[in-house]
Structure formats: structure tokens, C-alpha cells
Amino acid sequence: MFELCASILAADFANLARDVQIADSAGADAFHIDIMDGHFVPAISFGIDMVRTMSRLTSKPLDVHLMVESPLLFLPGLAGLGVTRVSVHYEIPGGPDDALQAICSAGMQAGLVLNPETPVKAALPYLKDISQLLLMTVQPGRGGQIYLPGSDEKIATACSMLQAQRSNAVIQVDGGITSSTLPGAYSAGARSIVAGSAVFHGKIKENISKLRNNSVYTLCH
């Protein structure tokens, strides 16, 4: 029905292996890793070493989100670690063209990220290169934010655009996802859901079950 990507930005880093293993066994489909450089966004988060650690903790796909000004610097290391997907921002200096092509050339799936203020039509020139269109439903750079009003409408617009262009790209959403906001995002067309706090804050197994079951109930009624 939808892919659940557990964002480790919200995990307990003192017990990362434990949290990842619980989320893995509880039904997370993939793990989302935010790499921030302190320039494209103010925060600094993970680097290649965290991706290496995650590759040892799980066999699930690793979905890397590069919030960095120079994504080309990270791509050889990510490819060498067997990363499945890498997403880069439309808004980076010089545009995403070279990075998207390099991701594909390295044998990884490419994703394009749009910040909340960027219209979905900005993705049109890149649809041939991407397998994923990541729509930020909060301002990028920190976790725990509230799902932005108008996000469902933007997802629906993106879905219509992809259908009109006969694109197979999957819409992913990231930011403010809870069991309450997930059904709206899904109904609008999102099929890959990034969730951090809603997975890792509290009892992980119960949280994932709630995201799955409550959301499915809402979607079906």
C-alpha cells in the first residue's frame, strides 16, 4: 500500500542498533538517512560513516536524503556502500542536473527533492532521470516539525503532473508525518512515507503498527 521509510534522525543514538533492529522487525520497509552539511541547511547531521553503520545494522534499503550544497562529493562513498536511493534538492547551487546523472550512472535510484516553496512544475525537466519525487512537507533541516498546511494539495498536483507526463516516479513525503496526517498524504498520491518521531519516539513496534493499521483503516473508510 505504501512504503514506510523510518527516519533515523529521530532515533535514540545511544541505542541506535536496538532501535533500528526493532523498527526493522516491526515492518519498516526502508531507512531514511538525512545528511546535512551545515551550509545548505543550518544543521549538521550525519555523514558517510553513519551510512556505513546503517549498512551493517539492516539489510533493508537505505534511502539517503542529501541536504548539502555539493552532493557530488558524497556519491562515490554512497555507491560503494550499496545505497539504494539518493535524493538531491532542486534548490542546490547550480541545480541538480549533474548530481542526478551521477546518481544514475553509479547504479543508484535518483530522487529529486522540492522544498515547500518550490512549485511541483520545477521537477518537469528531470522526470526522465528520477524514480522518486520527494516533497518536503516541513522546512528542511530539523525533525519534529508540524505538517505544513497545503501539503496534501501540493502532493495531489504533483500526482496529476506525473500522470500527465506518464512518469513512473514515486511521490515521497517527508516531514510532520503521523497517523493523522499520513492518510491525507496517501490519498493525495504519496506512496513512500518518511516518518521519524512517529516511529522512534515511544514504543517503536506499537508506533509502526499504528501508522500501518490506523492509516489503513482511515484510507479504507
Side-chain angles (χ1 to χ4, degrees):
M1 189 173 258
F2 62 86
E3 176 189 59
L4 179 60
C5 293
S7 175
I8 65 165
L9 191 64
D12 177 359
F13 299 136
N15 296 284
L16 181 63
R18 179 201 66 188
D19 280 11
V20 168
Q21 288 162 8
I22 294 172
D24 192 319
S25 63
D29 298 306
F31 287 91
H32 187 83
I33 305 172
D34 291 308
I35 295 180
M36 307 179 197
D37 64 359
H39 298 286
F40 182 74
V41 293
I44 297 174
S45 61
F46 312 125
I48 295 294
D49 285 344
M50 178 58 77
V51 180
R52 182 176 294 107
T53 295
M54 286 297 297
S55 71
R56 295 167 180 162
L57 295 179
T58 181
S59 60
K60 297 286 179 67
L62 300 181
D63 181 50
V64 174
H65 177 186
L66 292 178
M67 297 187 220
V68 301
E69 288 189 345
S70 303
L72 289 172
L73 298 177
F74 294 83
L75 298 183
L78 295 176
L81 291 170
V83 167
T84 302
R85 295 189 300 259
V86 180
S87 295
V88 297
H89 277 259
Y90 169 83
E91 300 86 2
I92 58 175
D97 305 67
D98 291 345
L100 291 173
Q101 292 173 18
I103 293 167
C104 295
S105 296
M108 298 180 288
Q109 297 173 22
L112 179 67
V113 191
L114 303 183
N115 281 346
E117 67 276 9
T118 302
V120 297
K121 65 181 181 181
L124 275 171
Y126 308 102
L127 295 183
K128 66 183 184 304
D129 299 318
I130 64 173
S131 62
Q132 177 170 280
L133 178 61
L134 169 49
L135 302 180
M136 294 300 302
T137 45
V138 298
Q139 292 298 330
R142 61 184 177 87
Q145 299 181 66
I146 296 173
Y147 193 75
L148 286 172
S151 292
D152 291 348
E153 291 78 6
K154 185 172 184 178
I155 296 165
T157 299
C159 187
S160 296
M161 179 187 73
L162 293 177
Q163 291 173 350
Q165 297 296 316
R166 298 183 179 178
S167 170
N168 292 321
V170 172
I171 296 175
Q172 184 179 76
V173 291
D174 182 3
I177 293 295
T178 66
S179 58
S180 297
T181 58
L182 194 159
Y186 179 90
S187 295
R191 291 297 180 267
S192 180
I193 306 295
V194 177
S197 300
V199 169
F200 288 112
H201 288 185
K203 297 182 178 180
I204 296 170
K205 184 175 181 180
E206 293 178 8
N207 289 343
I208 289 179
S209 177
K210 184 177 181 181
L211 286 169
R212 292 285 191 197
N213 297 329
N214 287 10
S215 299
V216 169
Y217 178 84
T218 304
L219 290 167
C220 294
H221 291 77

